[in-house]
């Protein structure tokens, strides 16, 4: 009971006593105001009660360790030894940190320029209550100092300025002024992920080993053509380079380079490698962003170049309000196959996409509906098709450092000519699901698990297939 009282009362007493003793300093006063706004939230009070209940259920040794760790963290924080405070907070399980302690942890991280740690803690607080406006402003500051101005502006866009106290409105004005006055800068980010996955159908083979076409031709999927499962390695590297003035409107130049390698452990028949470069101008206005990136890339299959891929994809993003955005894109590309002397396989691809996105809280959580029409035209009608895809996606963040993503898609695809042996033009209906769960760490490291499932129903039986890909991996963001 003594430890319970210390955790519930003594810890909070240390916080408020520290604020009182340092009240002559503006920074401490501002922290206290933010502190009070956080503590007044009903959702935060409910979360704190859960934390206290966990503390009550912990053993005496665990309670004693928490007492000592919290005392060390709070003492260091109010002695302005913020680096030591961060280390002390990091030694405590987050499940036993009330929202107020979590805020002090984030604040100390921000003061010591440990921006990724601060971002993680602020996002966890906002996952508890998206209406914590002082926390959202602090998150915007952390993103900006980290160099992620786009994320900083996104958080500012979700901020209700009328609910900020005067000192935070002044801080917001200062942050916007710094963004607007900043000279042109170059921003570079790197993303790397490595996954190990199991693939249930590496060759998209049908379930039946023998398929008889309407004209009597027999297709046998045996030997190297039979349905086969295998483990594989998936490596993805992306680099982002942006030239921008960090202003609310104006000209930008954005570039992205992608390297993708897929390697099967037991079979090299389907090993592939892709590199792609996208680069182009972008114009930001009050509610619109218009961009026109050019793309060039190559895909390789078993160390041989399969095709070149190049084109342009103008994009428009229209922000209706802080909760609703509409994305639109037109793409025009060509696939130029390497070993196609008569150009029968070469395709010209036109695509049209519209995607309304609804953000249902002030975090990154959203739902979206994507509608895509694509026309693939080749010299041979057999390789030409029209397709329509409808996709529903949603993303949800938990505890500030865990994000779940789900997507369901249905695609209708109609080819312009029957496959040899069939009398009707080929038609495919494909359903697919993708699910991922990602946990982020403060140093840019993340781990994830992912699952993909697809089922294709075709009037041309040899293209009937189902496929499951499941795996786990890790990666870094720099």
């Amino acid at each position: 009971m003594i430890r319970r009282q210390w955790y519930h009362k003594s810890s909070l007493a240390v916080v408020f006593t520290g604020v009182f003793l340092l009240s002559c300093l503006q920074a401490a006063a501002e922290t206290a105001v933010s502190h009070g706004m956080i503590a007044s939230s009903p959702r935060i009070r409910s979360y704190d009660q859960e934390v206290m209940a966990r503390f009550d259920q912990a053993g005496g040794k665990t309670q004693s360790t928490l007492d000592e760790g919290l005392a060390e963290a709070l003492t260091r924080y109010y002695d302005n030894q913020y680096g030591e405070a961060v280390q002390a907070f990091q030694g405590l399980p987050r499940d036993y940190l009330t929202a107020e302690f979590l805020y002090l942890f984030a604040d100390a991280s921000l003061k010591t320029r440990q921006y990724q740690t601060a971002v993680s803690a602020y996002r966890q607080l906002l996952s508890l209550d998206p209406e914590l406006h002082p926390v959202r402003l602090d998150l915007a500051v952390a993103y900006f100092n980290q160099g992620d101005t786009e994320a900083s502006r996104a958080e500012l866009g979700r901020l209700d300025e009328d609910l900020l106290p005067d000192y935070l409105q002044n801080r917001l004005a200062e942050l916007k002024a710094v963004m607007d006055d900043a000279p042109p800068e170059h921003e570079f980010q790197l993303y790397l992920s490595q996954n190990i996955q199991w693939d249930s159908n590496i060759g998209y083979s049908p379930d039946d080993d023998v398929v008889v076409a309407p004209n009597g031709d027999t297709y046998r999927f045996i030997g190297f053509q039979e349905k086969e499962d295998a483990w594989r390695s998936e490596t993805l590297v992306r680099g982002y380079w942006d030239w921008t003035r960090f202003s609310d409107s104006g000209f930008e130049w954005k570039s992205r380079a992608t390297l993708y390698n897929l390697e099967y452990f037991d079979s090299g028949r389907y090993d592939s490698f892709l590199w792609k470069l996208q680069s182009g101008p972008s114009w930001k206005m009050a509610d619109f962003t218009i961009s026109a990136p050019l793309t060039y890339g190559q895909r390789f299959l078993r160390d041989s170049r399969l095709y070149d891929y190049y084109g342009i994809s103008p994009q428009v993003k229209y922000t209706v309000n802080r909760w609703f955005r509409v994305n639109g894109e037109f793409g025009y590309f060509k696939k130029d196959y390497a070993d196609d002397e008569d150009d029968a396989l070469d395709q010209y691809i036109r695509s049209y996409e519209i995607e309304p996105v609804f953000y249902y809280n002030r975090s990154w959580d959203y739902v979206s509906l994507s509608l895509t029409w694509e026309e693939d035209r080749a010299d041979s009608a057999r390789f030409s098709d029209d397709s329509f895809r409808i996709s529903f996606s949603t993303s949800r963040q938990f505890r500030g450092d865990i994000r779940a993503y789900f997507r369901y898609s249905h695609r209708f695809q109609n080819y312009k000519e029957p496959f040899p042996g069939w009398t009707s033009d080929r038609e495919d209906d494909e359903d697919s699901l993708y699910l991922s769960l990602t946990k982020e760490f403060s140093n840019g490291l993340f781990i994830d698990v992912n699952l993909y499932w697809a089922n294709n129903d075709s009037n041309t039986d040899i293209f009937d297939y189902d496929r499951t890909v499941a795996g786990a991996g890790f990666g870094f963001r720099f």
Side-chain angles (χ1 to χ4, degrees):
M1 180 63 68
I2 294 176
R3 292 190 179 90
R4 180 180 184 276
Q5 291 175 344
W6 192 97
Y7 188 83
H8 295 331
K9 299 178 181 179
S10 298
S11 296
L12 297 179
V14 170
V15 173
F16 293 119
T17 300
V19 172
F20 175 77
L21 293 175
L22 297 173
S23 60
C24 59
L25 301 177
Q26 181 182 5
E30 292 176 354
T31 301
V33 174
S34 298
H35 221 249
M37 295 180 70
I38 294 172
S40 65
S41 164
R43 296 182 183 180
I44 292 300
R45 288 199 297 269
S46 176
Y47 171 77
D48 287 347
Q49 289 174 1
E50 295 176 5
V51 174
M52 293 174 182
R54 280 194 292 270
F55 182 83
D56 289 340
Q57 296 171 3
K61 185 176 181 180
T62 299
Q63 291 176 339
S64 177
T65 302
L66 288 169
D67 285 350
E68 295 173 0
L70 284 169
E72 173 70 13
L74 295 174
T75 299
R76 296 293 188 182
Y77 181 88
Y78 288 108
D79 282 345
N80 296 331
Q81 299 176 358
Y82 299 117
E84 292 80 357
V86 171
Q87 293 179 1
F89 276 120
Q90 287 177 329
L92 298 168
R94 283 201 182 184
D95 289 346
Y96 290 96
L97 291 181
T98 64
E100 297 176 75
F101 295 146
L102 189 60
Y103 178 78
L104 295 181
F105 175 32
D107 187 61
S109 301
L110 185 61
K111 285 180 167 67
T112 54
R113 300 184 179 181
Q114 300 183 52
Y115 299 124
Q116 188 58 43
T117 302
V119 165
S120 177
Y122 287 136
R123 288 174 63 178
Q124 183 175 347
L125 283 167
L126 290 171
S127 70
L128 301 175
D129 186 352
E131 304 299 325
L132 298 176
H133 303 295
V135 174
R136 192 168 298 282
L137 178 56
D138 287 336
L139 176 58
V141 172
Y143 273 134
F144 180 76
N145 289 331
Q146 195 180 31
D148 194 345
T149 307
E150 183 175 351
S152 179
R153 290 192 176 279
E155 295 301 332
L156 294 182
R158 299 185 177 98
L159 199 62
D160 193 337
E161 299 181 21
D162 295 336
L163 297 180
L164 294 176
D166 291 341
Y167 86 91
L168 285 180
Q169 290 189 6
N170 294 336
R171 191 177 182 188
L172 174 61
E174 292 173 357
L175 176 59
K176 288 184 175 180
V178 171
M179 288 182 173
D180 291 338
D181 294 340
E185 292 192 19
H186 302 275
E187 181 180 359
F188 180 77
Q189 296 182 5
L190 184 65
Y191 172 93
L192 168 66
S193 70
Q194 174 63 56
N195 274 268
I196 301 298
Q197 300 171 322
W198 174 76
D199 189 337
S200 69
N201 188 357
I202 66 176
Y204 300 88
S205 300
D207 293 331
D208 298 328
D209 294 337
V210 178
V211 176
V212 179
N215 70 349
D217 291 346
T218 301
Y219 293 84
R220 301 182 185 276
F221 294 88
I222 58 177
F224 73 91
Q225 291 183 328
E226 66 182 346
K227 188 174 182 179
E228 179 183 2
D229 64 279
W231 287 91
R232 71 185 200 179
S233 168
E234 183 188 62
T235 306
L236 175 64
V237 180
R238 279 181 178 158
Y240 300 85
W241 175 81
D242 296 341
W243 183 95
T244 177
R245 290 194 56 87
F246 292 165
S247 59
D248 287 330
S249 61
F251 176 80
E252 297 179 320
W253 191 279
K254 294 180 175 291
S255 301
R256 182 174 71 179
T258 302
L259 301 176
Y260 177 79
N261 186 69
L262 187 63
E263 183 174 355
Y264 287 89
F265 295 147
D266 298 327
S267 174
R269 295 197 309 275
Y270 299 103
D271 291 352
S272 64
F273 174 77
L274 169 74
W275 72 264
K276 182 170 63 174
L277 177 63
Q278 293 176 287
S279 186
S282 177
W283 292 268
K284 294 175 60 177
M285 292 164 277
D287 300 320
F288 282 93
T289 299
I290 302 175
S291 57
L294 298 170
T295 299
Y296 184 82
Q298 293 180 328
R299 184 177 180 184
F300 296 80
L301 183 65
R302 297 189 305 273
D303 299 326
S304 298
R305 182 165 60 90
L306 182 61
Y307 59 73
D308 293 1
Y309 182 78
Y310 48 89
I312 186 171
S313 53
Q315 303 163 7
V316 176
K317 297 179 180 179
Y318 174 56
T319 302
V320 180
N321 52 44
R322 70 180 57 183
W323 306 109
F324 187 63
R325 187 177 78 184
V326 180
N327 302 326
E329 178 176 332
F330 166 74
Y332 187 73
F333 295 92
K334 182 181 180 181
K335 279 185 180 179
D336 189 357
Y337 283 82
D339 297 328
D340 182 24
E341 295 181 357
D342 57 0
D343 296 330
L345 295 174
D346 291 350
Q347 291 179 321
Y348 290 91
I349 303 170
R350 288 190 297 268
S351 63
Y352 311 82
E353 180 176 292
I354 185 169
E355 180 189 32
V357 183
F358 174 68
Y359 296 91
Y360 56 88
N361 58 31
R362 295 182 183 272
S363 299
W364 292 100
D365 302 339
Y366 67 87
V367 293
S368 70
L369 182 67
S370 176
L371 305 175
T372 306
W373 174 263
E374 183 174 307
E375 302 171 352
D376 296 358
R377 295 292 179 265
D379 286 347
S380 172
R382 175 181 160 191
F383 302 108
S384 299
D385 68 89
D386 295 330
S387 65
F388 175 72
R389 183 192 301 270
I390 180 170
S391 300
F392 169 81
S393 303
T394 183
S395 180
R396 172 77 179 180
Q397 183 175 302
F398 301 92
R399 294 182 49 197
D401 58 354
I402 297 176
R403 178 162 290 280
Y405 175 79
F406 171 81
R407 182 185 71 238
Y408 165 76
S409 296
H410 186 85
R411 182 183 65 179
F412 307 90
Q413 192 167 14
N414 299 322
Y415 288 80
K416 299 301 181 181
E417 187 177 281
F419 191 82
W422 274 261
T423 56
S424 300
D425 293 350
R426 175 184 164 187
E427 296 181 356
D428 290 2
D429 283 349
E430 181 190 65
D431 292 290
S432 65
L433 299 173
Y434 178 77
L435 175 65
S436 69
L437 194 63
T438 304
K439 176 175 175 55
E440 297 183 354
F441 298 91
S442 59
N443 57 0
L445 172 69
F446 65 88
I447 57 176
D448 73 338
V449 293
N450 47 79
L451 173 67
Y452 171 79
W453 170 85
N455 177 268
N456 192 60
D457 183 16
S458 177
N459 65 351
T460 305
D461 296 343
I462 63 171
F463 295 104
D464 274 340
Y465 69 84
D466 60 82
R467 186 187 190 199
T468 302
V469 180
F474 68 95
F476 297 91
R477 293 184 177 92
F478 302 97

